[in-house]
Structures are given as structure tokens and as C-alpha cells.
Coordinates of all heavy atoms in Angstrom, one line a residue:
M1 N 79.9 47.7 57.3 CA 78.5 48.1 57.3 C 78.0 47.9 58.7 O 78.1 46.8 59.3 CB 77.7 47.1 56.3 CG 76.3 47.3 56.5 SD 75.1 46.5 55.5 CE 75.6 45.5 54.3
P2 N 77.4 48.9 59.3 CA 76.9 48.8 60.7 C 75.6 48.0 60.7 O 74.8 48.0 59.8 CB 76.7 50.2 61.1 CG 76.5 51.0 59.8 CD 77.3 50.2 58.8
A3 N 75.3 47.5 61.9 CA 74.1 46.8 62.2 C 72.9 47.8 62.2 O 73.1 49.0 62.5 CB 74.1 46.1 63.5
T4 N 71.7 47.4 61.8 CA 70.6 48.3 61.7 C 69.6 48.1 62.8 O 68.6 48.8 62.9 CB 69.8 48.1 60.3 OG1 69.4 46.8 60.2 CG2 70.8 48.5 59.2
S5 N 69.9 47.1 63.7 CA 69.0 46.9 64.9 C 69.8 46.3 66.0 O 70.9 45.7 65.8 CB 67.8 46.0 64.5 OG 68.3 44.7 64.3
K6 N 69.3 46.4 67.2 CA 69.9 45.7 68.3 C 70.0 44.2 68.2 O 71.0 43.6 68.5 CB 69.2 46.1 69.6 CG 69.4 47.5 70.0 CD 68.6 47.9 71.3 CE 68.8 49.4 71.6 NZ 68.0 49.7 72.8
A7 N 68.9 43.7 67.6 CA 68.9 42.2 67.5 C 70.0 41.8 66.5 O 70.6 40.7 66.7 CB 67.5 41.8 66.9
Q8 N 70.2 42.5 65.4 CA 71.2 42.2 64.4 C 72.6 42.3 65.0 O 73.5 41.5 64.8 CB 71.1 43.1 63.2 CG 71.9 42.8 62.0 CD 71.7 43.7 60.8 OE1 71.8 44.9 61.0 NE2 71.4 43.2 59.7
Q9 N 72.8 43.3 65.9 CA 74.1 43.5 66.5 C 74.4 42.4 67.5 O 75.5 41.9 67.6 CB 74.1 44.9 67.3 CG 75.4 45.3 67.8 CD 75.8 44.8 69.1 OE1 74.9 44.4 69.9 NE2 77.0 44.8 69.5
K10 N 73.4 41.9 68.3 CA 73.5 40.8 69.2 C 73.8 39.5 68.4 O 74.7 38.7 68.9 CB 72.3 40.7 70.0 CG 72.1 41.8 71.0 CD 70.7 41.5 71.8 CE 70.4 42.7 72.6 NZ 69.1 42.5 73.3
A11 N 73.1 39.3 67.3 CA 73.4 38.1 66.5 C 74.8 38.1 66.0 O 75.5 37.1 66.0 CB 72.4 38.0 65.4
A12 N 75.3 39.2 65.6 CA 76.6 39.4 65.1 C 77.6 39.1 66.2 O 78.7 38.4 66.0 CB 76.9 40.8 64.5
G13 N 77.4 39.6 67.4 CA 78.2 39.3 68.5 C 78.4 37.8 68.8 O 79.5 37.3 69.0
A14 N 77.3 37.1 68.7 CA 77.3 35.6 69.0 C 78.0 34.9 67.9 O 78.9 34.0 68.1 CB 75.8 35.1 69.0
A15 N 77.8 35.3 66.6 CA 78.5 34.7 65.5 C 80.0 35.0 65.6 O 80.8 34.1 65.3 CB 77.9 35.2 64.2
L16 N 80.4 36.2 66.0 CA 81.8 36.5 66.1 C 82.5 35.7 67.2 O 83.6 35.2 67.0 CB 81.9 38.0 66.4 CG 83.3 38.6 66.4 CD1 84.1 38.3 65.1 CD2 83.3 40.0 66.8
S17 N 81.8 35.5 68.2 CA 82.3 34.7 69.3 C 82.6 33.3 68.9 O 83.6 32.7 69.2 CB 81.3 34.7 70.5 OG 81.7 33.9 71.5
A18 N 81.7 32.7 68.0 CA 81.9 31.4 67.5 C 83.0 31.3 66.5 O 83.8 30.4 66.5 CB 80.6 30.9 66.9
K19 N 83.1 32.4 65.7 CA 84.2 32.4 64.7 C 85.6 32.4 65.3 O 86.5 31.8 64.9 CB 84.1 33.7 63.8 CG 83.1 33.6 62.7 CD 83.7 33.0 61.4 CE 82.8 33.2 60.3 NZ 83.2 32.4 59.1
R20 N 85.6 33.1 66.5 CA 86.9 33.2 67.2 C 87.1 32.0 68.1 O 88.2 31.9 68.8 CB 86.9 34.5 68.1 CG 86.9 35.7 67.2 CD 86.9 36.9 68.0 NE 87.1 38.1 67.2 CZ 87.0 39.4 67.6 NH1 86.6 39.6 68.8 NH2 87.1 40.4 66.7
G21 N 86.2 31.1 68.2 CA 86.4 29.9 69.0 C 86.0 30.0 70.5 O 86.4 29.2 71.3
E22 N 85.4 31.1 70.8 CA 85.1 31.4 72.2 C 83.8 30.7 72.7 O 83.7 30.4 73.8 CB 84.9 32.9 72.4 CG 86.2 33.7 72.1 CD 86.0 35.2 72.0 OE1 84.9 35.7 72.1 OE2 87.0 35.9 71.7
T23 N 82.9 30.4 71.7 CA 81.7 29.6 72.0 C 81.6 28.5 70.9 O 82.2 28.6 69.9 CB 80.5 30.5 72.0 OG1 80.3 31.1 70.8 CG2 80.5 31.5 73.1
K24 N 80.8 27.5 71.2 CA 80.6 26.5 70.2 C 79.7 26.9 69.1 O 78.7 27.5 69.4 CB 80.0 25.2 70.9 CG 81.0 24.6 71.9 CD 80.3 23.5 72.6 CE 81.2 22.9 73.7 NZ 80.6 21.8 74.4
K25 N 80.0 26.5 67.9 CA 79.1 26.9 66.8 C 77.8 26.2 66.9 O 76.8 26.7 66.4 CB 79.8 26.8 65.4 CG 80.0 25.3 65.0 CD 80.6 25.3 63.6 CE 80.8 23.9 63.1 NZ 81.3 23.8 61.8
S26 N 77.7 25.1 67.5 CA 76.5 24.3 67.7 C 75.5 25.1 68.6 O 74.3 24.8 68.6 CB 76.8 23.0 68.3 OG 77.4 23.1 69.6
E27 N 76.0 26.1 69.3 CA 75.1 26.9 70.2 C 74.4 28.0 69.4 O 73.5 28.6 70.0 CB 75.9 27.5 71.4 CG 76.4 26.5 72.3 CD 77.3 27.1 73.4 OE1 77.3 28.3 73.6 OE2 77.9 26.3 74.2
L28 N 74.8 28.2 68.2 CA 74.2 29.3 67.4 C 72.9 28.9 66.8 O 72.7 27.7 66.5 CB 75.2 29.7 66.2 CG 76.5 30.2 66.6 CD1 77.3 30.5 65.3 CD2 76.4 31.5 67.4
K29 N 72.0 29.8 66.7 CA 70.7 29.6 66.1 C 70.2 30.8 65.4 O 70.7 32.0 65.6 CB 69.7 29.1 67.1 CG 69.6 29.9 68.3 CD 68.7 29.2 69.3 CE 68.9 29.7 70.7 NZ 68.2 29.1 71.7
G30 N 69.3 30.7 64.5 CA 68.7 31.8 63.7 C 69.7 32.6 63.0 O 70.6 32.1 62.2
A31 N 69.7 33.9 63.1 CA 70.5 34.8 62.3 C 72.0 34.7 62.6 O 72.8 34.8 61.7 CB 70.1 36.3 62.6
S32 N 72.3 34.4 63.8 CA 73.8 34.3 64.1 C 74.4 33.1 63.4 O 75.5 33.1 63.0 CB 74.0 34.2 65.6 OG 73.3 33.1 66.2
K33 N 73.6 32.0 63.3 CA 74.1 30.8 62.6 C 74.3 31.2 61.1 O 75.3 30.7 60.5 CB 73.0 29.7 62.7 CG 73.5 28.3 62.3 CD 72.4 27.3 62.6 CE 73.0 25.9 62.7 NZ 72.0 24.9 63.1
G34 N 73.3 31.9 60.5 CA 73.5 32.3 59.1 C 74.7 33.2 58.9 O 75.4 33.1 57.9
M35 N 74.9 34.1 59.8 CA 76.1 35.0 59.7 C 77.3 34.2 59.8 O 78.3 34.5 59.1 CB 76.0 36.1 60.8 CG 75.0 37.1 60.7 SD 75.1 38.3 62.1 CE 73.9 39.5 61.6
Y36 N 77.4 33.3 60.7 CA 78.6 32.5 60.9 C 79.0 31.7 59.6 O 80.1 31.7 59.2 CB 78.4 31.4 62.0 CG 79.5 30.5 62.2 CD1 80.6 30.9 63.0 CD2 79.6 29.3 61.6 CE1 81.7 30.0 63.2 CE2 80.6 28.4 61.8 CZ 81.7 28.8 62.6 OH 82.8 28.0 62.8
K37 N 78.0 31.2 58.9 CA 78.2 30.4 57.7 C 78.5 31.3 56.5 O 79.3 30.9 55.7 CB 77.0 29.6 57.4 CG 76.8 28.4 58.4 CD 75.5 27.6 58.0 CE 75.3 26.5 58.9 NZ 74.1 25.7 58.5
S38 N 77.9 32.5 56.4 CA 78.0 33.2 55.2 C 78.9 34.4 55.1 O 79.2 35.0 54.1 CB 76.6 33.6 54.7 OG 76.1 34.6 55.6
M39 N 79.4 34.8 56.3 CA 80.2 36.0 56.4 C 81.6 35.8 56.9 O 81.8 34.8 57.7 CB 79.5 37.1 57.3 CG 78.1 37.5 56.8 SD 77.2 38.5 58.0 CE 78.1 40.0 57.8
S40 N 82.6 36.6 56.6 CA 83.9 36.5 57.1 C 83.9 37.1 58.5 O 83.0 37.8 58.9 CB 84.9 37.3 56.2 OG 84.7 38.7 56.3
E41 N 85.0 36.8 59.3 CA 85.1 37.4 60.6 C 85.1 38.9 60.6 O 84.5 39.6 61.4 CB 86.4 36.8 61.2 CG 86.6 37.3 62.7 CD 87.8 36.7 63.4 OE1 88.2 35.6 63.0 OE2 88.3 37.3 64.3
K42 N 85.8 39.5 59.6 CA 85.9 40.9 59.4 C 84.5 41.5 59.2 O 84.1 42.6 59.8 CB 86.8 41.3 58.3 CG 86.9 42.8 58.0 CD 88.3 43.3 58.4 CE 88.4 44.7 58.0 NZ 88.1 45.7 59.0
Q43 N 83.7 40.9 58.3 CA 82.3 41.4 58.1 C 81.5 41.4 59.4 O 80.7 42.3 59.7 CB 81.7 40.6 57.0 CG 82.3 40.8 55.6 CD 81.7 39.9 54.6 OE1 81.6 38.7 54.9 NE2 81.3 40.4 53.4
I44 N 81.5 40.2 60.1 CA 80.8 40.1 61.3 C 81.2 41.1 62.3 O 80.4 41.7 63.1 CB 80.9 38.6 61.8 CG1 80.3 37.6 60.8 CG2 80.2 38.5 63.2 CD1 80.6 36.2 61.2
E45 N 82.5 41.3 62.4 CA 83.1 42.3 63.3 C 82.5 43.7 63.1 O 82.2 44.4 64.1 CB 84.6 42.3 63.2 CG 85.3 42.9 64.3 CD 86.8 42.7 64.2 OE1 87.4 43.5 63.5 OE2 87.3 41.8 64.8
E46 N 82.3 44.1 61.9 CA 81.8 45.4 61.6 C 80.3 45.5 62.1 O 79.9 46.6 62.6 CB 81.8 45.6 60.1 CG 83.2 45.9 59.5 CD 83.2 46.0 58.0 OE1 82.1 46.1 57.4 OE2 84.3 46.0 57.5
F47 N 79.5 44.4 62.0 CA 78.2 44.5 62.6 C 78.2 44.5 64.1 O 77.5 45.2 64.7 CB 77.4 43.2 62.1 CG 76.7 43.3 60.8 CD1 77.4 43.0 59.6 CD2 75.4 43.8 60.7 CE1 76.8 43.0 58.4 CE2 74.8 43.9 59.5 CZ 75.5 43.5 58.3
A48 N 79.1 43.7 64.7 CA 79.1 43.5 66.1 C 79.6 44.8 66.8 O 79.2 45.0 67.9 CB 80.0 42.3 66.5
E49 N 80.5 45.6 66.2 CA 81.0 46.7 66.9 C 80.1 48.0 66.8 O 80.4 49.0 67.4 CB 82.4 47.1 66.4 CG 82.4 47.6 64.9 CD 83.9 47.8 64.4 OE1 84.8 47.4 65.1 OE2 84.0 48.3 63.3
T50 N 79.0 47.8 66.2 CA 78.0 49.0 66.1 C 77.5 49.3 67.5 O 77.2 48.4 68.3 CB 76.8 48.5 65.2 OG1 77.3 48.2 63.9 CG2 75.8 49.7 65.1
K51 N 77.5 50.5 67.8 CA 76.9 51.0 69.1 C 75.4 50.8 69.1 O 74.8 51.2 68.2 CB 77.3 52.5 69.4 CG 78.8 52.7 69.4 CD 79.5 52.1 70.6 CE 80.9 52.4 70.6 NZ 81.8 51.3 71.0
R52 N 74.9 50.3 70.2 CA 73.5 50.0 70.3 C 72.6 51.1 70.7 O 71.3 51.0 70.7 CB 73.2 48.7 71.1 CG 73.7 47.5 70.5 CD 73.2 46.3 71.3 NE 74.0 46.1 72.5 CZ 73.7 45.2 73.4 NH1 72.6 44.5 73.3 NH2 74.4 45.1 74.5
K53 N 73.2 52.1 71.2 CA 72.4 53.2 71.9 C 71.2 53.7 71.1 O 70.1 53.8 71.7 CB 73.3 54.4 72.3 CG 72.6 55.5 73.0 CD 73.6 56.6 73.4 CE 72.8 57.7 74.1 NZ 73.5 58.9 74.3
D54 N 71.3 54.0 69.9 CA 70.2 54.6 69.1 C 69.6 53.7 68.1 O 68.8 54.1 67.3 CB 70.7 55.9 68.4 CG 71.1 57.0 69.3 OD1 70.4 57.1 70.4 OD2 72.1 57.7 69.1
L55 N 69.8 52.4 68.3 CA 69.3 51.4 67.3 C 67.9 50.9 67.8 O 67.7 50.8 69.0 CB 70.2 50.2 67.2 CG 71.6 50.4 66.5 CD1 72.3 49.1 66.6 CD2 71.4 50.8 65.1
P56 N 67.0 50.6 66.9 CA 65.7 50.0 67.3 C 66.0 48.6 67.7 O 67.0 48.0 67.4 CB 64.9 50.1 66.0 CG 65.9 50.1 64.9 CD 67.1 50.8 65.5
E57 N 65.0 48.0 68.5 CA 65.2 46.6 68.9 C 65.2 45.7 67.7 O 66.1 44.8 67.7 CB 64.0 46.2 69.8 CG 64.1 46.6 71.2 CD 65.3 46.1 72.0 OE1 65.7 44.9 71.8 OE2 65.9 46.9 72.7
K58 N 64.3 45.9 66.8 CA 64.3 45.1 65.6 C 64.1 46.0 64.4 O 63.6 47.1 64.5 CB 63.1 44.1 65.6 CG 63.2 43.0 66.6 CD 62.2 42.0 66.5 CE 62.4 40.9 67.5 NZ 61.5 39.8 67.3
K59 N 64.7 45.6 63.2 CA 64.6 46.3 62.0 C 63.1 46.3 61.5 O 62.5 45.2 61.4 CB 65.5 45.7 61.0 CG 65.6 46.5 59.7 CD 66.6 45.8 58.7 CE 66.5 46.4 57.4 NZ 67.4 45.7 56.4
S60 N 62.6 47.4 61.2 CA 61.2 47.4 60.6 C 61.2 46.9 59.2 O 62.2 47.1 58.4 CB 60.6 48.8 60.6 OG 61.4 49.7 59.9
K61 N 60.2 46.2 58.8 CA 60.1 45.6 57.5 C 59.5 46.6 56.5 O 58.4 47.2 56.8 CB 59.2 44.3 57.5 CG 59.9 43.2 58.3 CD 59.0 42.0 58.3 CE 59.7 40.9 59.2 NZ 58.9 39.7 59.2
H62 N 60.2 46.8 55.4 CA 59.7 47.8 54.4 C 59.6 47.1 53.1 O 60.3 46.4 52.6 CB 60.5 49.0 54.2 CG 60.4 49.9 55.4 ND1 59.3 50.7 55.6 CD2 61.2 50.2 56.4 CE1 59.5 51.5 56.7 NE2 60.6 51.1 57.2

């Protein structure tokens, strides 16, 4: 499932980095912390690899 906003893609990148041990999980906050706890590395990877070019900064609330 691809990310729906640049913010979501960035949060997934941070969570993925922590899952792989590249950064400390204590440095995570907000959405990236939630992703780290509730998603598998594969799921996070799918969000993180989304191209940001045509994504909005934040997902609009509907």
C-alpha cells in the first residue's frame, strides 16, 4: 500500500530506519513511532518506497 502524503512517506522512512537498527527507536515520535510498533518491516517498506513527487504535503481529512 503506497503512502498517501509526503508526511506519511517520511514517517515510514524514519520507522523503517529504526526497524533496521540504523537509528534508535527512542528517537521516533508521532506517526513513525506508531508505525514502528504496529507494522512489519515489509509493510513499512511499502510506504517508505512511495515516490514523493506528486504527493500532497499532508493527507486531507475527509
